[in-house]
Amino acid sequence: MKLSPAVLAGTLTARQQIDYNSAPPNLSTLANSSLFDTWRPKAHVLPPFGQIGDPCMHYLDSDIGLFHVGWLHEGASGATTDDLVTYHDLNPDGQPFIVAGGTNDPVAVFDGSVIPSGIDGKPTLLYTSLIRRRP
């Protein structure tokens, strides 16, 4: 793609305002459309906020043509993609769909895997959780 001189000049002007030789500041404190977006990777899955934690729960659902990716950070979260470039969060607010504090996992939630043909032949998530034993 060829850029016009006007577009190229505007791009160079914008780049001159950012010092790419210095370390970026704490990116999580910056507003959107700022250095946060400039330094944030765009070619792989990222949660809408926070960090990705441990990647897990990946599987391909060939019935609907989507690849599901998951991660653990303060609970289990995930997204879907059909091109491995753009991702759509499973929860609109970006919150985890499994968090510690439930009946089956009152203390903590850990890594999991998906069995493509699990319960009733549907993809089924198996994950580890922690329950304290009473003395």
Side-chain angles (χ1 to χ4, degrees), residues 12-133:
L12 292 175
T13 302
R15 285 187 182 169
Q16 290 172 351
Q17 296 173 2
I18 299 172
D19 182 3
Y20 286 97
N21 294 316
S22 65
N26 180 348
L27 300 181
S28 65
T29 63
L30 300 174
N32 289 337
S33 301
S34 65
L35 280 176
F36 180 82
D37 288 332
T38 299
W39 291 99
R40 190 168 170 88
K42 300 195 180 18
H44 64 82
V45 65
L46 285 171
F49 56 87
Q51 60 189 12
I52 196 163
D54 297 327
C56 63
M57 306 176 288
H58 299 0
Y59 74 98
L60 174 63
D61 188 339
S62 56
D63 290 341
I64 58 174
L66 290 177
F67 185 70
H68 293 252
V69 296
W71 57 87
L72 289 170
H73 179 69
E74 297 179 3
S77 302
T80 58
T81 181
D82 60 0
D83 60 7
L84 298 177
V85 176
T86 55
Y87 294 84
H88 306 283
D89 291 309
L90 292 175
N91 285 347
D93 61 0
Q95 295 297 317
F97 50 81
I98 300 173
V99 294
T103 303
N104 295 321
D105 36 80
V107 178
V109 175
F110 297 103
D111 205 350
S113 296
V114 174
I115 299 172
S117 295
I119 298 172
D120 296 328
K122 296 179 182 175
T124 303
L125 170 62
L126 299 176
Y127 64 96
T128 307
S129 63
L130 179 63
I131 298 174
R132 286 189 188 143
R133 290 186 181 221

